């Protein structure tokens, strides 16, 4: 039972509502007027079916506005809005139906199984016609404006309507709609870029804006821009390294992309400044993407860029700028290391090529990253690999002194010649001091200079190896010099002195002086007594170990040697000569019965032919015996030289006969083996490795003694004892491999890490 | 057949003529008793071997790098004696 109080309250409410609707009009006329206005307003707002062929009902706008006024006065607008939205919900099926119709039209050409693939791929591969989507968008705009309440109803009403409308269309649009949008947008981009402005585009963008599609598909639209930039960069910049492309790309962006970006990202801007502000964020994202794309491209190409250096300097400049914007240094290091491993650091690559590439890498990465962190990271595997190659030093030295035949030396002739740089301690009191770059590893050593030679030499811990190798190389060169012109060698030594320091090259200096002294002495000796002999007199201990030989020169050669030595001793009474008969070269003239011929041969060949002037037939063994205990292989090779020149003939195995009268090649004789190129033959100077092996023979005596006296010893004990031996400079690893070699020969054996002499 | 030698660029080493030609095959060579460097090398204060760093023959038959010996004779402790046998030093010419 409602109490009286409740009844009174309800009555008061009723009265209040009545008063509000009736607006103090007489009777219920106010109420009637409101009812009329309400009906009119609701009727006016009610969403209608656009496809309804019935002519649209015309309203007197003044009346409608008055009706809105009445409803507003009665504070019934919120309710009206709800009713309107409810009406709209009821009519939504109309839009859904149309969307479906258009989308079917759009998708109809794509067979169902393909659809998935197509929606993954870019729209360009789709057969569907984006025009269907365009019509759909326009149609939706029509719906939107048809249902839109008039502006009189205030912004709340409009935004509530817009929200409801959009919520609905977004819920009914299928995923393939995005693909259509993408196609449409790309088309506008294409048109903007190709400067063929289509007024349609502006309309389309306006339609997008009306439907808020831009906000919804912002990432999609941006990705179209990104993809376009990517393909453009790929197309214009790939393998074009000679010039920096960034400036061109930037101009292109401003010229082509920015006008297009104005549509989606600066809509509603009234002047240039406003547009600029609106574009700032998205603009820098696009700019970033352009840098990133170029950076990726160059990173991918980096190995070939380095190969092409210095023609590719432009690309490196770009890369430098890109890396400053895009943090992809790690990727670059990774890519280059991978490419190096795959293409360079394998047994198929020539050491010289690896070195050349390494030098280019140094130069390139110095451009990209002056502090050298990238270089340090990239170079590490290369350096380790080079250190393990036996011929690296030889290669470096050969290019240091400018290998005559191969013009491309590692060193640029124009580079200033600098002393080798030692890693220096950091000077923290230097006002110019900078901390190490942020991505520098713990063992990063900043090297201030870009001196290539210093960097290469620092592959090894010591420069002594270089000096030794240099000595060997110089010795070979000097002994091979025929015309007495060694200015080139002198120049090289002077250059290297600057690099390695005077003291290290003292030995080379002595070698050069020996050459000039020899010339002077020879001039003197010739003035006393003319001789066809012109020896090079060398100071032992200052030349690399020359292979020793017990060869004896026969006949007139010996006489010449003795005569010369005698003259020398008269000139320099306190000195004597010791011949190294296996070195040098002899120019001979052979007078045979039917012909004379001239030959330029090594001494052994000369010795043999001299012996043949004694008698016509020799066996190899006899020859070996007569010319001192020489290597039999060498003897056979020397004889082959004469056989090739048709001076000797091998009658039977090991028996050679002089051809005083030339003989044609007899049938059945062996086809002549092609003569090995003799020009490249170098004097037999022991290589550094051979020298080391030679030295190790001496230390073997110590080891042998140790093991005899003490039984068995561990490796490090042997090493520490050998350290007492003069000149011993091996590491324990080297000793280990030497011992291992000795074990293979059965000289020692090892048990539980203890070495003992083998039986 | 006749062999004419037109031009022979041979290679030789020089040695000091210190009389002991019987040691011809001894490859190590003798060393200066003072600096322990081979005679054909040079004394510690020289850079060029040979005529620039000559030897000196003593009456006592001992041989040294000249510079080494002069330095030795320059010290008070030498008493002008040969460092090997402590006999009065006299150069043998």
């Amino acid at each position: 039972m409602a109490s009286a109080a409740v009844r009174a309250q309800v009555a008061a409410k009723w009265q209040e509502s009545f008063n509000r609707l009736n607006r103090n009009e007489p009777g219920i006329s106010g109420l009637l007027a409101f009812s009329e206005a309400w009906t009119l307003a609701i009727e006016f707002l009610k969403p209608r079916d656009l496809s309804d062929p019935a002519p649209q009902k015309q309203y007197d706008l003044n009346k409608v506005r008055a009706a809105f006024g009445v409803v507003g006065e009665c504070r019934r607008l919120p309710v009206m809005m709800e009713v309107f939205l409810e009406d709209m919900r009821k009519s939504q099926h109309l839009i859904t139906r149309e969307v479906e119709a258009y989308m079917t039209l759009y998708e109809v050409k794509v067979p169902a199984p393909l659809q998935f693939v197509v929606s993954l791929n870019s729209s360009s591969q789709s057969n569907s016609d984006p025009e269907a989507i365009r019509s759909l968008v326009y149609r939706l705009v029509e719906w939107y404006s048809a249902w839109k309440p008039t502006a009189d109803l205030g912004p709340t009403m409009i935004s509530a309507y817009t929200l409801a409308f959009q919520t609905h269309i977004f819920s009914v649009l299928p995923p393939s709609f995005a693909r259509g949008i993408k196609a449409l947008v790309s088309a506008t981009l294409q048109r903007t870029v190709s400067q063929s402005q289509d007024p349609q585009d502006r309309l389309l963008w306006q339609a997008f804006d009306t439907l808020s599609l831009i906000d919804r598909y912002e990432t999609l639209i941006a990705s179209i821009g990104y993809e376009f930039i990517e393909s453009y960069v790929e197309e214009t910049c790939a393998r074009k390294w000679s010039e920096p492309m960034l400036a061109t790309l930037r101009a292109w962006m401003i010229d082509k992309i920015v006008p297009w970006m104005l549509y989606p990202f600066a809509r509603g801007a009234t002047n240039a400044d406003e547009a600029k502000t609106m574009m700032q964020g998205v603009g820098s994202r696009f700019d970033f993407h352009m840098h990133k794309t170029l950076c990726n491209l160059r990173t991918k190409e980096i190995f070939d860029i380095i190969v092409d250096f210095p023609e590719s300097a432009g690309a490196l400049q770009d890369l430098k700028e890109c890396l400053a914007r895009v943090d992809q240094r790690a990727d670059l290091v990774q890519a280059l290391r991978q490419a190096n491993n795959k293409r360079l650091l394998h047994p198929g690559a020539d050491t010289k090529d690896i070195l050349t590439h390494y030098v280019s890498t140094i130069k390139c990465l110095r451009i990209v990253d002056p502090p050298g962190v990238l270089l340090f990271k990239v170079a590490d595997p290369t350096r380790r690999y080079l250190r393990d190659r036996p011929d690296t030093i030889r290669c470096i030295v050969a290019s240091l002194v400018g290998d005559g035949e191969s013009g491309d030396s590692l060193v640029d002739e124009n580079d200033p010649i600098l002393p080798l740089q030692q890693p220096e301690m950091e000077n923290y009191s230097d006002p110019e001091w900078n901390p190490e770059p942020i991505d520098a590893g713990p063992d990063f050593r900043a090297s201030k200079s870009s001196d290539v030679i210093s960097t290469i030499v620092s592959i090894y811990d010591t420069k002594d190896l270089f000096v030794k190798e240099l000595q060997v190389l110089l010795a070979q060169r000097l002994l091979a010099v025929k015309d007495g012109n060694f200015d080139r060698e002198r120049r090289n030594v002077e250059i290297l002195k600057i690099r390695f320091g005077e003291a290290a090259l003292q030995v080379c200096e002595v070698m050069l002086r020996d050459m000039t002294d020899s010339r002077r002495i020879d001039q003197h000796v010739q003035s006393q007594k003319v001789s066809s002999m012109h020896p090079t007199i060398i100071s032992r201990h200052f030349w690399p170990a020359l292979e020793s030989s017990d060869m004896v020169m026969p006949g007139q050669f010996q006489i010449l040697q003795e005569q010369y030595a005698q003259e020398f001793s008269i000139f320099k009474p306190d000195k004597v000569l010791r011949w190294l008969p296996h070195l040098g070269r002899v120019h001979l003239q052979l007078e045979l019965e039917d012909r004379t011929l001239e030959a330029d041969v090594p001494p052994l060949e000369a010795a043999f032919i001299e012996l043949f002037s004694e008698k016509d037939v020799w066996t190899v063994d006899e020859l070996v015996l007569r010319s001192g205990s020489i290597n039999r292989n060498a003897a056979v090779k020397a004889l082959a030289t004469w056989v090739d020149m048709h001076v000797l003939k091998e009658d039977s195995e090991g028996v050679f006969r002089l051809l005083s009268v030339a003989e044609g090649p007899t049938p059945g004789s062996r086809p002549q083996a092609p003569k090995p190129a003799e020009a490249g033959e170098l004097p037999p100077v022991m290589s550094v490795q051979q020298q080391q092996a030679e030295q190790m023979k001496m230390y073997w005596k110590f080891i042998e003694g140790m093991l005899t006296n003490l039984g068995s010893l561990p490796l490090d004990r042997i090493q520490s004892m050998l350290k007492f031996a003069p000149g011993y400079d091996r590491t324990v690893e080297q000793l280990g491999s030497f011992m291992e070699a000795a074990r293979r020969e059965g000289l020692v054996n090892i048990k539980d890490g203890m070495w003992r002499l083998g039986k | 057949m006749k062999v004419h030698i037109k031009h022979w660029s041979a290679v030789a080493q020089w040695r000091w003529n210190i009389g002991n030609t019987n040691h011809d095959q001894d490859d190590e060579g003798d060393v200066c008793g003072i600096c322990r460097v081979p005679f054909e090398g040079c004394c510690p204060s020289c850079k060029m071997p040979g005529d620039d760093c000559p030897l000196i023959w003593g009456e006592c038959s001992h041989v040294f790098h000249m510079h080494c010996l002069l330095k030795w004779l320059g010290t008070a402790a030498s008493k002008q004696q040969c460092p090997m046998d402590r006999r009065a030093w006299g150069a043998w010419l």
Side-chain angles (χ1 to χ4, degrees):
Chain A
M1 275 305 288
S3 68
V6 172
R7 205 170 296 143
Q9 217 176 354
V10 171
K13 277 249 178 198
W14 169 258
Q15 193 58 40
E16 191 204 21
S17 307
F18 175 77
N19 286 343
R20 200 174 59 217
L21 295 181
N22 204 23
R23 287 158 292 146
N24 301 323
E25 296 283 322
I28 56 164
S29 60
L31 200 58
L32 285 175
F34 170 76
S35 168
E36 212 168 283
W38 175 265
T39 318
L40 180 66
I42 292 296
E43 187 64 27
F44 175 72
L45 286 177
K46 192 175 178 70
R48 59 198 175 79
D49 187 355
L50 283 183
S51 45
D52 188 356
Q56 203 186 340
K57 208 171 146 192
Q58 294 300 318
Y59 293 95
D60 180 352
L61 282 179
N62 282 328
K63 262 192 196 162
V64 172
R65 207 165 290 137
F68 283 145
V70 170
V71 174
E73 236 172 279
C74 300
R75 287 185 281 151
R76 296 320 281 167
L77 277 181
V79 181
M80 190 178 81
M81 188 167 92
E82 264 168 44
V83 172
F84 165 62
L85 293 180
E86 186 53 41
D87 280 347
M88 203 177 112
R89 244 188 296 284
K90 281 182 195 148
S91 317
Q92 271 169 356
H93 67 275
L94 298 172
I95 298 183
T96 312
R97 199 184 59 208
E98 288 225 329
V99 167
E100 273 164 12
Y102 277 106
M103 289 317 292
T104 327
L105 195 66
Y106 174 61
E107 282 164 18
V108 72
K109 291 176 198 154
V110 187
L114 267 182
Q115 225 168 30
F116 178 62
V117 182
V118 167
S119 60
L120 281 182
N121 290 337
S122 70
S123 56
S124 60
Q125 290 177 9
S126 156
N127 306 323
S128 350
D129 183 11
E131 286 311 310
I133 298 293
R134 185 196 293 269
S135 321
L136 174 58
V137 169
Y138 286 145
R139 186 64 177 168
L140 285 172
V141 172
E142 265 176 64
W143 283 101
Y144 175 77
S145 33
W147 290 7
K148 192 176 179 182
T150 51
D152 311 326
L153 292 173
T156 330
M157 185 79 180
I158 307 255
S159 63
Y161 159 74
T162 311
L163 186 68
F165 187 83
Q166 282 169 2
T167 315
H168 175 63
I169 58 169
F170 292 160
S171 72
V172 296
L173 286 174
S176 52
F177 179 72
R179 183 154 48 87
I181 289 284
K182 198 168 172 184
L184 280 180
V185 172
S186 326
T188 66
L189 177 55
Q190 294 294 348
R191 270 196 294 278
T192 316
V193 166
S194 57
Q195 304 278 353
S196 59
Q197 291 287 4
D198 188 344
Q200 280 249 308
D201 287 348
R202 185 161 291 279
L203 287 176
L204 182 67
W205 282 110
Q206 267 162 8
F208 284 161
D209 190 22
T210 315
L211 297 175
S212 268
L213 287 176
I214 294 179
D215 289 333
R216 184 169 167 83
Y217 292 110
E218 191 174 351
T219 39
L220 182 88
I221 293 170
S223 78
I224 291 167
Y226 291 164
E227 273 167 29
F228 190 72
I229 291 174
E230 276 163 29
S231 64
Y232 180 79
V233 168
E234 187 79 30
E235 189 181 308
T236 50
C237 301
R239 303 200 68 84
K240 292 202 184 102
W241 303 321
S242 50
E243 274 169 41
M245 302 298 286
L246 263 183
T248 331
L249 283 178
R250 282 207 195 99
W252 173 79
M253 291 277 286
I254 290 172
D255 214 32
K256 309 279 180 180
I257 299 291
V258 169
W260 173 78
M261 283 165 68
L262 286 172
Y263 289 130
F265 300 114
R267 53 186 195 275
T270 46
N271 55 37
D273 275 346
E274 213 176 317
K276 213 172 176 180
T277 331
M278 291 171 89
M279 296 269 288
Q280 211 161 41
V282 70
S284 69
R285 278 210 299 281
F286 270 72
D287 189 50
F288 178 86
H289 195 78
M290 189 261 287
H291 282 92
K292 187 178 149 105
T293 311
L294 186 62
C295 190
N296 285 344
L297 179 68
R298 293 295 184 237
T299 303
K300 214 168 64 196
E301 296 172 330
I302 184 72
F303 188 89
D304 295 301
I305 291 180
I306 290 176
V307 170
D308 259 26
F309 188 80
E311 275 73 41
S312 56
L316 292 165
Q317 207 58 46
D318 280 350
L319 190 57
K320 179 185 179 180
E321 274 183 61
C322 287
L323 282 178
R325 284 248 11 217
V326 188
D327 186 30
Q328 293 194 329
R329 292 156 64 94
D331 293 352
L332 180 70
V333 169
Q334 189 86 20
L336 190 50
R337 280 173 79 143
Q338 256 172 16
N340 278 347
N341 273 336
K342 192 166 150 231
R343 296 176 59 179
L344 196 66
L345 306 182
H346 56 74
D350 202 6
T351 307
K352 195 164 164 48
D353 294 342
I354 299 181
L355 273 173
T356 317
H357 188 82
Y358 178 41
V359 170
S360 298
T361 311
I362 293 175
K363 290 180 183 158
C364 292
L365 292 186
R366 284 277 176 205
I367 296 179
V368 174
D369 171 53
V373 179
L374 292 186
L375 176 63
F376 183 78
K377 290 185 175 175
V378 169
D380 201 41
T382 314
R383 290 165 67 91
R384 257 184 286 134
Y385 184 82
L386 280 173
R387 208 175 300 157
D388 288 343
R389 279 217 171 187
D391 57 341
T392 303
I393 294 197
R394 173 161 290 251
C395 246
I396 296 173
V397 172
S399 51
L400 275 185
V401 298
D403 216 336
E405 57 270 24
S406 60
D408 54 336
S409 104
L410 296 177
V411 197
D412 187 353
E413 291 284 324
N414 304 323
D415 277 352
I417 300 156
L418 300 165
L420 287 187
Q421 320 256 320
Q422 299 298 332
E424 48 197 66
M425 292 299 291
E426 294 227 44
N427 177 11
Y428 295 108
S429 56
D430 180 5
E432 301 286 307
W433 181 86
N434 271 315
E436 281 172 359
I438 193 142
D439 52 347
D443 48 353
F444 170 71
R445 282 173 294 136
S447 50
K448 302 275 181 299
S449 76
S450 58
D451 182 32
V452 170
I453 297 297
S454 298
T455 319
I456 293 185
V457 172
S458 70
I459 291 177
Y460 295 89
D461 296 329
T462 155
K463 61 180 180 181
D464 295 354
L465 285 170
F466 285 90
V467 175
K468 272 199 185 131
E469 194 67 50
L470 190 69
Q471 229 179 307
V472 170
L473 199 77
L474 186 66
Q476 286 176 345
R477 293 258 183 115
L478 288 179
L479 292 184
V481 163
K482 291 201 183 86
D483 52 359
N485 179 4
F486 40 85
D487 290 348
R488 194 185 153 76
E489 273 67 30
R490 179 169 293 285
R491 181 175 156 271
N492 283 332
V493 168
E494 291 297 331
I495 292 174
L496 291 169
K497 255 198 219 165
I498 303 175
R499 290 201 189 280
F500 288 94
E502 193 106 2
L505 288 176
Q506 179 55 39
V507 175
C508 299
E509 195 64 11
V510 172
M511 287 161 74
L512 283 174
R513 206 198 55 162
D514 281 344
M515 296 305 284
T516 38
D517 278 0
S518 307
R519 208 133 309 268
R520 226 185 49 241
I521 291 167
D522 191 49
Q523 272 165 12
H524 178 85
V525 172
Q526 299 291 344
S527 69
Q528 299 300 311
K529 185 170 189 297
V530 176
S531 165
S532 54
M533 186 176 206
H534 305 276
T536 302
I537 300 165
I538 65 175
S539 306
R540 64 179 193 150
H541 307 302
F542 291 86
W543 287 64
L546 301 161
E547 277 168 29
S548 57
S549 156
D550 299 320
M551 186 176 143
V552 180
M553 295 302 276
Q556 51 172 329
F557 288 98
Q558 200 167 15
I559 295 167
L560 270 179
Q561 281 180 340
E562 278 164 12
Q563 280 174 352
Y564 201 96
Q566 210 175 351
E567 283 301 322
F568 177 81
S569 293
I570 293 168
F571 182 43
K572 303 256 179 198
D574 49 359
K575 291 184 193 160
V576 290
L577 283 186
R578 180 84 48 87
W579 295 101
L580 300 169
H582 57 299
L583 298 178
R585 272 191 100 75
V586 192
H587 189 84
L588 293 174
Q589 189 187 39
L590 302 185
E591 220 175 276
L592 292 137
E593 276 173 32
D594 59 341
R595 64 200 191 277
T596 31
L597 49 94
E598 300 212 355
D600 191 37
V601 289
L604 185 60
E605 272 86 335
F608 282 175
I609 207 67
E610 174 70 15
L611 289 173
F612 273 99
S613 67
E614 287 175 20
K615 62 174 192 172
D616 280 359
V617 181
W618 290 82
T619 68
V620 177
D621 294 323
E622 281 173 330
L623 287 170
V624 169
L625 207 63
R626 273 295 298 274
S627 50
S629 33
I630 52 152
N631 188 326
R632 205 187 139 91
N633 285 342
V636 170
K637 191 167 153 263
L639 287 166
T641 312
W642 292 119
V643 172
D644 283 344
M645 291 165 94
H646 304 292
V647 176
L648 298 183
K649 187 163 184 256
E650 188 169 11
D651 279 340
S652 57
E653 182 74 36
V655 181
F656 287 83
R657 177 169 60 85
L658 179 71
L659 298 177
S660 306
V661 180
E663 281 177 17
T666 48
S669 70
R670 273 185 298 174
Q672 281 174 15
K675 205 175 158 215
E678 214 170 324
E681 208 176 306
L682 287 165
V685 180
M686 276 196 226
S687 74
V688 173
Q689 283 98 332
Q690 283 171 309
Q691 287 182 39
Q692 280 179 349
E694 201 68 25
Q695 279 177 16
M696 217 54 210
K697 272 187 200 156
M698 180 174 97
Y699 296 119
W700 168 247
K701 296 221 172 76
F702 290 119
I703 298 170
E704 208 176 13
M706 248 182 255
L707 294 177
T708 315
N709 291 332
L710 300 170
S712 58
L713 289 172
L715 192 64
D716 44 359
R717 185 82 191 284
I718 300 177
Q719 170 76 359
S720 56
M721 287 178 80
L722 279 177
K723 286 240 177 80
F724 294 115
Y728 183 78
D729 58 354
R730 301 305 147 83
T731 63
V732 70
E733 287 81 22
Q734 284 171 317
L735 177 68
S737 53
F738 172 75
M739 292 301 286
E740 197 52 41
R743 190 184 62 78
R744 280 197 294 275
E745 298 200 357
L747 297 169
V748 287
N749 49 42
I750 183 169
K751 202 181 164 203
D752 303 330
M754 304 287 277
W755 293 92
R756 59 167 65 242
L757 287 178
K759 289 288 162 294
Chain B
M1 178 190 65
K2 270 196 165 168
V3 176
H4 300 287
I5 302 169
K6 291 284 190 186
H7 189 281
W8 182 8
S9 25
V11 179
Q13 286 175 343
W14 60 266
R15 301 283 172 94
W16 292 111
N17 188 5
I18 40 180
N20 50 352
T21 39
N22 48 335
H23 287 97
D24 250 7
Q25 299 311 313
D26 176 11
D27 229 31
E28 290 310 308
D30 283 336
V31 297
C32 164
I34 297 175
C35 66
R36 311 296 297 166
V37 171
F39 287 135
E40 281 82 13
C42 50
C43 78
S45 52
C46 279
K47 286 190 171 150
M48 290 290 179
D51 295 342
D52 292 346
C53 186
L55 299 189
I56 190 162
W57 280 259
E59 284 169 347
C60 52
S61 85
H62 289 127
V63 188
F64 304 98
H65 286 129
M66 188 177 79
H67 300 144
C68 294
L69 187 86
L70 293 182
K71 205 188 271 172
W72 158 251
L73 292 181
T75 60
S78 74
K79 296 177 190 157
Q80 304 299 310
Q81 291 166 339
C82 166
M84 300 292 262
D85 57 12
R86 288 281 172 192
R87 274 155 60 180
W89 177 262
W92 179 80
L93 297 169

